[in-house]
């Protein structure tokens, strides 16, 4: 497996609370991504980063923010979690500009 | 609107029974098409990238092919360990990020 870890692996929280998910890589890859995976929708891109402090929106970015202060860490924050954000979140990395991406193990988030 | 559709949604095979999965796309300019395998509770694992119509890639019992409208993932003489969900994704010329289909869940029984 590529050196990607995600934390926490599971989280249950309540509507309205802030949540931060962390992705950590040891591959020194330039690109990092956050996806969510829901039944019937496949993987959908939330945000991505093309370098330290360089981020951009994906197709489902509303309600999410990201930060990347170091090459190895990419944080996804839900400022005020809603039940519609219950999902499995995957981080991915790439060193070839949106080409082959390598995925982390995922975080299962439940918002009650 | 750009779309990626995978069929069937689910496929149950006997060990040794070859079959094909389909990934059809309607996009405005394809840069590349990607296949991934995903086991339950894990992240997707990269399999292949195809860039042009007529291109084929092989890995063990899997072969991926690409036409101008669709891609096929052929599974030859599958084994139970080939059971997984197979995802395809397209990369557009205009927007380089990947757009995924919903996947095909394959179960291979002994």
């Amino acid at each position: 497996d590529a050196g990607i870890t995600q934390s926490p692996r599971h989280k249950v929280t309540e509507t309205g609370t802030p949540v931060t998910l962390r992705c950590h890589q040891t591959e020194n890859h330039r690109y990092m991504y956050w996806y969510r995976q829901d039944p019937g929708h496949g993987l959908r891109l939330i945000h991505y980063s093309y370098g330290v402090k360089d981020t951009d929106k994906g197709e489902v970015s509303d309600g999410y923010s990201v930060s990347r202060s170091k090459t190895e860490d990419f944080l996804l924050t839900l400022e005020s979690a809603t039940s519609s954000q219950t999902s499995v979140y995957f981080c991915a990395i790439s060193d070839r500009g949106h080409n082959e991406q390598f995925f982390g193990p995922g975080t299962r988030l439940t918002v009650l | 609107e750009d779309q990626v559709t995978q069929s069937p949604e689910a496929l149950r095979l006997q060990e040794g029974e070859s079959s094909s999965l389909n990934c059809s796309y309607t996009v405005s300019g394809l840069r590349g098409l990607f296949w991934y395998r995903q086991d339950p509770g894990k992240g997707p694992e990269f399999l292949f990238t195809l860039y042009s119509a007529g291109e084929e890639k092989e890995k063990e019992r899997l072969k991926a092919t690409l036409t101008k409208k669709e891609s096929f993932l052929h599974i030859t003489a599958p084994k139970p360990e080939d059971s997984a969900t197979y995802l395809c994704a397209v990369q557009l010329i205009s927007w380089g990020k990947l757009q995924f289909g919903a996947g095909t869940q394959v179960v291979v029984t002994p």
Side-chain angles (χ1 to χ4, degrees), chain A residues 9 35 37 40-43 45 48 57-59 90 96-105, chain B residues 31 34 36 38 41-46 49 51 87 91 95-103:
Chain A
R9 294 293 315 279
Y35 291 88
Q37 187 173 41
H41 287 279
L43 285 155
L45 182 65
Y48 69 99
K57 295 179 180 180
E59 56 181 314
F90 288 100
R96 296 184 56 208
H98 309 314
N99 289 334
E100 290 90 356
Q101 296 179 18
F102 301 95
F103 285 79
Chain B
R31 177 182 290 176
F34 298 74
Y36 284 81
Q38 186 174 22
K42 296 192 174 181
E45 175 188 343
F46 172 75
T49 310
Y51 290 106
L87 306 171
Q91 183 184 38
W95 195 70
K97 277 67 72 179
L98 300 186
Q99 184 173 343
F100 283 83

Side-chain angles (χ1 to χ4, degrees), chain B residues 18-44:
Chain B
S18 301
S19 189
S20 295
L21 316 181
N22 178 264
C23 173
S24 65
Y25 56 91
T26 53
V27 299
S28 51
L30 180 74
R31 177 182 290 176
L33 188 139
F34 298 74
W35 282 98
Y36 284 81
R37 169 196 170 117
Q38 186 174 22
D39 293 308
K42 296 192 174 181

Side-chain angles (χ1 to χ4, degrees), chain A:
Chain A
D1 291 343
I4 312 171
T5 56
Q6 293 184 231
S7 58
R9 294 293 315 279
H10 302 271
K11 187 170 182 67
V12 179
T13 191
E14 296 196 346
T15 298
T17 60
V19 176
T20 295
L21 308 183
R22 180 182 183 235
C23 177
H24 179 78
Q25 62 147 328
T26 58
E27 305 294 325
N28 201 37
H29 284 357
R30 178 181 175 188
Y31 296 86
M32 298 185 75
Y33 309 82
W34 277 108
Y35 291 88
R36 60 178 290 174
Q37 187 173 41
D38 305 287
H41 287 279
L43 285 155
R44 292 180 290 174
L45 182 65
I46 305 171
H47 281 281
Y48 69 99
S49 170
Y50 47 96
V52 174
K53 299 187 179 178
D54 292 322
T55 65
D56 205 349
K57 295 179 180 180
E59 56 181 314
V60 290
S61 58
D62 287 348
Y64 301 95
S65 63
V66 290
S67 66
R68 191 171 179 197
S69 59
K70 299 185 288 185
T71 298
E72 57 266 34
D73 289 326
F74 193 31
L75 303 181
L76 177 71
T77 297
L78 291 66
E79 301 290 347
S80 178
T82 68
S83 58
S84 64
Q85 294 176 312
T86 291
S87 187
V88 181
Y89 291 86
F90 288 100
C91 173
I93 63 174
S94 171
D95 66 349
R96 296 184 56 208
H98 309 314
N99 289 334
E100 290 90 356
Q101 296 179 18
F102 301 95
F103 285 79
T107 294
R108 182 173 294 277
L109 176 67
T110 302
V111 183
L112 301 175

